[in-house]
Amino acid sequence: MSLKFRYLSLGLVTLTWSHYQGSEFVAAVDSTIPSSYAVQGVFPTSLYSHYYNNPTATSEQPQPVISDPVTHEIFPFSLTGPNNIPQYDTVDPPNPLPPKASSQKLLQQAVAQIKSITANPMFSTCAQCQASLEVAKFLALAAPEQGTNLALTLCEYFNYSSSCEESYGPLVKGPILTQVVSFADVGGYDGQSICSQFLGLCPAPVTTTLNLTGWFAKPKPNPLPPPKQPSGQLLKVLHLSDLHIDPRYANGAEANCTTGLCCRENAYNSLSPQTPLVPAPRYGSFLCDSPYSLITSVLEAIPPLTGTESTGFNFTMFTGDLLAHDPDNQQSRALNEYAEVVLYDLFKRMLGPGPVYATLGNHGTCLPDLASPLSLGGALGQQFSWLYDHITALWEQEGWLPEASVEFSRAHYAAYMVKRADGLRVISLDTNLWIASNYFNYINSSEPDVSGILRFLTDELQDAEDAGDRVWIIGHVVSGWDGTISLPNPTNLSDILSVDRFSPHVIANIFWGHTHQDQLSIFYANNGTNMSAETAQMVSWIGPSVTPLSNLNSGFRVYEVDSATFEVIEAYTWISYVNDYPALDSQTQFGPIFEFEYSTRETYGGNITWGATDPLNATWWHLVTEQMEVDPTLMQAFNLYQEKSSILTTPCTGECINATICYIRSGSASIANQNCVPDLQ
């Protein structure tokens, strides 16, 4: 086929089909067709019968009235009028939405999305983790009743635990995790912290830079008030920590178990599931918590060993942890309250008339580790009020808390301040509010004081400064040591409070527990930027545990304290050798032997120029660490006593020495994380 064209002057092709020749059409040009055409100047009004406006006007376009032949409806002028252009179509219904999903459907989709996210190779493990938390957050907000089911499903799918129901079921941590992801900024700092701490999928976020504008009511006095002069009279103060009573302890059960808490009927060694390889002695064992027999033995031994049978102590500090290390599914409020009643009653009856100043430990609540900030509001903020009410009532009944401290303790995490008649103020903190294993601490975790516990501490320290009083701070969870136990942001703020603002003129000493070991931490001025004897400002004493768990002897400590300065002049530690306990089972004439372990001043101060009655303060302890750097035998002594002279103590050599000294010099988790090498012990 072929076409023949003729181009007109306007460049247009005009074709007429004239005839067909064979296999071709032949185009012919009609010379009568004009090459141009002029349209009339007015709109052809005959096209439509009706108009909304004057169609012949030149100032606007015609608006004919159009009728829909299908619906027989006339389209309104408002639809096309140039002066009435709508922003949205409000007449017609919007496009339909998908049907509202049931909570079960939301759960299924959440699981499917998380599986897809974690399988996507374009995401880093950190991005996968935080994106998955975002999915969990929206499920927790839209269908909170499914939060526990999501936790269980993911636990099983990713094989996080061999006992998912026991860890994340509806009666254990499932509801806790649901609360946390619903409130936390899981796409930001909170989520990164969670993915780092619990799953190891993100790097730890950096410590938040503190903004202390307006935090302190007054600047630090300059010059400092003159220090109080020693009285030369000594108070005798007992330090107990980490009793971990186990009323479910079973004599003869497996003491060297490979699953769960040992010395329980349900514990076993995988090499001999039916017959115990190491029968549990009735006074305790290295992998077990404290049976009744050990608790009463240590309390019976303390008065005669310390010369307080007729006088009692001036006061006792208990730095927390009442209960055994039961798995979560074996915990209950009743068991928690049982341990409180038993132990505080035994303290009262066996230690003499002096008051006991106690603090909550992470094994003093149900579930362990948990404390929710009051800032959650409503029932969520008050979900542990049962604990604070009960334990405060016991302290009040025992006569240890004055009425002025009781109401605050009930309403604020069982934290309190007591001003003693001798002028010392004791401030007790709930350090579960900075422990890394408390899921609630990952809500707004970039903030250093979500709970308000450090606001309370600051205000109490300011009141003490104004009154010229000295303060002891007690708590359970250490603020520093190796940096793995506590969160950096709150302990960073507590470091500033303890040192740069209120030491050394207000705070005299700090006392922790939790590690079960005999340890300490030194706080330095300017947040530890320069560590020396001159900048060492405060020391925190970490009390040895009564429980032998894990691989330790049982122990306690007594301080001799100047009655005017409230500085520690001497500290003595006693222990009981747990490896001797099996031999006691064959007779009833003797129980455990508790014996003197060491004097702090004599053990560590031999090569330090220091007055015989000068306090064992932060400066002295820094000088001790300098001696440890050059005298390996001193570090070996510290390492042995850290484990309470256990026969299972492992040597500390090489990098372990440097790490241990670094931990001693770390008053906060952020300093330990910044400065210290990994623990090689």
Side-chain angles (χ1 to χ4, degrees):
M1 179 189 297
S2 66
L3 293 176
K4 297 179 180 180
F5 300 92
R6 174 176 293 176
Y7 291 87
L8 302 181
S9 60
L10 294 178
L12 301 175
V13 179
T14 303
L15 300 175
T16 60
W17 300 101
S18 59
H19 58 276
Y20 176 77
Q21 292 182 347
S23 61
E24 295 182 341
F25 280 104
V26 177
V29 176
D30 188 346
S31 61
T32 63
I33 297 175
S35 62
S36 65
Y37 179 82
V39 178
Q40 61 181 335
V42 295
F43 184 79
T45 58
S46 61
L47 286 176
Y48 301 101
S49 58
H50 297 89
Y51 292 85
Y52 288 115
N53 64 352
N54 180 4
T56 62
T58 59
S59 61
E60 61 181 354
Q61 290 293 312
Q63 294 286 340
V65 178
I66 305 296
S67 177
D68 188 328
V70 176
T71 65
H72 306 292
E73 294 182 352
I74 296 174
F75 294 104
F77 177 58
S78 60
L79 181 65
T80 58
N83 298 323
N84 188 32
I85 300 175
Q87 296 300 309
Y88 301 99
D89 179 4
T90 59
V91 177
D92 300 319
N95 291 328
L97 297 173
K100 184 176 181 180
S102 66
S103 65
Q104 183 62 33
K105 181 70 172 178
L106 291 173
L107 171 64
Q108 293 171 355
Q109 288 298 309
V111 171
Q113 287 300 299
I114 291 174
K115 288 181 179 179
S116 295
I117 289 169
T118 56
N120 190 332
M122 298 300 294
F123 293 157
S124 67
T125 58
C126 186
Q128 289 175 348
C129 183
Q130 290 196 254
S132 298
L133 288 177
E134 289 280 11
V135 175
K137 179 182 183 72
F138 282 101
L139 180 68
L141 291 170
E145 69 278 9
Q146 295 291 356
T148 295
N149 293 330
L150 178 65
L152 288 171
T153 302
L154 296 180
C155 175
E156 293 167 358
Y157 179 79
F158 292 108
N159 196 27
Y160 286 146
S161 171
S162 60
S163 55
C164 293
E165 182 71 29
E166 296 173 4
S167 299
Y168 303 110
L171 298 179
V172 279
K173 287 196 175 78
I176 304 301
L177 295 176
T178 304
Q179 289 184 55
V180 171
V181 297
S182 71
F183 283 100
D185 176 15
V186 294
Y189 194 99
D190 295 344
Q192 184 181 347
S193 298
I194 292 170
C195 292
S196 172
Q197 175 65 32
F198 296 103
L199 300 172
L201 298 176
C202 285
V206 298
T207 303
T208 303
T209 301
L210 287 174
N211 179 7
L212 295 177
T213 303
W215 184 268
F216 298 110
K218 300 176 183 178
K220 188 171 185 175
N222 187 17
L224 293 176
K228 295 181 181 296
Q229 295 304 304
S231 68
Q233 297 179 346
L234 298 180
L235 306 176
K236 192 169 283 189
V237 179
L238 172 65
H239 186 178
L240 289 172
S241 196
D242 295 86
L243 273 73
H244 292 285
I245 186 172
D246 186 2
R248 296 164 172 167
Y249 188 102
N251 295 353
E254 180 61 70
N256 187 31
C257 65
T258 54
T259 177
L261 181 63
C262 299
C263 301
R264 292 288 188 83
E265 287 291 357
N266 60 347
Y268 62 90
N269 189 299
S270 58
L271 297 177
S272 179
Q274 303 302 319
T275 304
L277 297 177
V278 180
R282 74 178 189 270
Y283 288 106
S285 191
F286 286 116
L287 298 180
C288 309
D289 272 322
S290 305
Y292 254 104
S293 298
L294 178 57
I295 296 292
T296 56
S297 293
V298 67
L299 295 178
E300 177 185 333
I302 288 172
L305 285 174
T306 59
T308 58
E309 289 176 287
S310 59
T311 61
F313 293 94
N314 292 94
F315 60 91
T316 294
M317 294 179 297
F318 172 56
T319 51
D321 268 10
L322 299 162
L323 287 85
H325 292 79
D326 291 85
D328 288 349
N329 65 309
Q330 296 174 14
Q331 302 276 345
S332 68
R333 293 186 185 183
L335 183 64
N336 205 95
E337 293 170 346
Y338 173 91
E340 293 170 8
V341 170
V342 168
L343 292 177
Y344 292 136
D345 173 64
L346 289 174
F347 289 175
K348 181 73 171 182
R349 289 193 287 141
M350 300 186 72
L351 294 178
V356 176
Y357 303 124
T359 192
L360 276 182
N362 62 308
H363 287 277
T365 180
C366 182
L367 297 169
D369 306 329
L370 300 181
S372 63
L374 297 174
S375 57
L376 291 183
L380 298 182
Q382 297 292 330
Q383 60 191 297
F384 293 97
S385 60
W386 61 271
L387 169 64
Y388 311 140
D389 286 344
H390 188 263
I391 202 166
T392 301
L394 286 175
W395 294 339
E396 182 184 22
Q397 287 181 12
E398 301 294 2
W400 301 335
L401 280 192
E403 185 177 349
S405 303
V406 168
E407 287 309 312
F408 188 91
S409 176
R410 289 180 186 274
H412 297 86
Y413 316 107
Y416 60 84
M417 185 282 293
V418 170
K419 182 172 181 178
R420 292 174 43 81
D422 55 20
L424 176 66
R425 297 186 184 217
V426 178
I427 299 176
S428 175
L429 303 176
D430 182 356
T431 53
N432 291 334
L433 296 163
W434 70 41
I435 191 173
S437 51
N438 177 10
Y439 287 99
F440 287 107
N441 289 338
Y442 295 86
I443 299 173
N444 298 325
S445 59
S446 61
E447 297 296 323
D449 190 32
V450 176
S451 67
I453 195 69
L454 296 177
R455 178 74 265 162
F456 157 71
L457 176 60
T458 305
D459 293 343
E460 289 296 341
L461 291 173
Q462 184 63 65
D463 288 347
E465 181 181 76
D466 292 344
D469 292 338
R470 304 222 72 194
V471 169
W472 279 15
I473 297 171
I474 65 172
H476 178 66
V477 180
V478 299
S479 60
W481 192 247
D482 67 358
T484 64
I485 301 170
S486 302
L487 291 177
N489 288 326
T491 58
N492 188 37
L493 177 56
S494 74
D495 192 340
I496 299 296
L497 293 176
S498 301
V499 180
D500 286 334
R501 177 58 186 87
F502 292 105
S503 291
H505 61 300
V506 177
I507 305 172
N509 282 287
I510 301 172
F511 302 90
W512 309 128
H514 185 69
T515 68
H516 296 192
Q517 296 173 306
D518 182 344
Q519 298 165 327
L520 72 140
S521 292
I522 305 170
F523 297 80
Y524 297 85
N526 299 314
N527 212 16
T529 53
N530 176 25
M531 297 181 179
S532 67
E534 291 71 31
T535 63
Q537 297 287 294
M538 183 54 50
V539 62
S540 62
W541 302 77
I542 304 170
S545 67
V546 170
T547 183
L549 197 69
S550 295
N551 295 330
L552 305 170
N553 285 325
S554 180
F556 64 91
R557 178 182 291 144
V558 171
Y559 304 98
E560 290 182 340
V561 179
D562 186 88
S563 64
T565 66
F566 301 105
E567 299 275 9
V568 172
I569 307 302
E570 176 63 288
Y572 304 106
T573 304
W574 284 262
I575 59 168
S576 180
Y577 287 97
V578 174
N579 53 291
D580 290 340
Y581 291 176
L584 301 176
D585 282 348
S586 60
Q587 52 80 52
T588 58
Q589 185 177 2
F590 300 107
I593 296 174
F594 286 83
E595 62 184 58
F596 182 73
E597 185 184 28
Y598 75 100
S599 155
T600 302
R601 181 181 290 271
E602 291 180 4
T603 298
Y604 298 119
N607 292 324
I608 297 173
T609 302
W610 205 253
T613 59
D614 289 344
L616 306 184
N617 57 18
T619 302
W620 185 83
W621 275 112
H622 181 85
L623 295 174
V624 170
T625 64
E626 290 182 347
Q627 290 296 309
M628 289 177 175
E629 290 175 318
V630 298
D631 184 358
T633 62
L634 194 62
M635 174 53 70
Q636 294 311 314
F638 180 87
N639 185 61
L640 179 65
Y641 294 148
Q642 178 179 250
E643 309 295 306
K644 291 169 282 181
S645 299
S646 170
I647 62 169
L648 300 177
T649 300
T650 56
C652 181
T653 58
E655 281 302 317
C656 172
I657 295 176
N658 296 330
T660 300
I661 293 172
C662 188
Y663 298 154
I664 294 174
R665 293 174 177 175
S666 299
S668 70
S670 59
I671 292 177
N673 290 329
Q674 175 181 314
N675 296 340
C676 302
V677 298
D679 187 358
L680 300 180
Q681 296 186 64

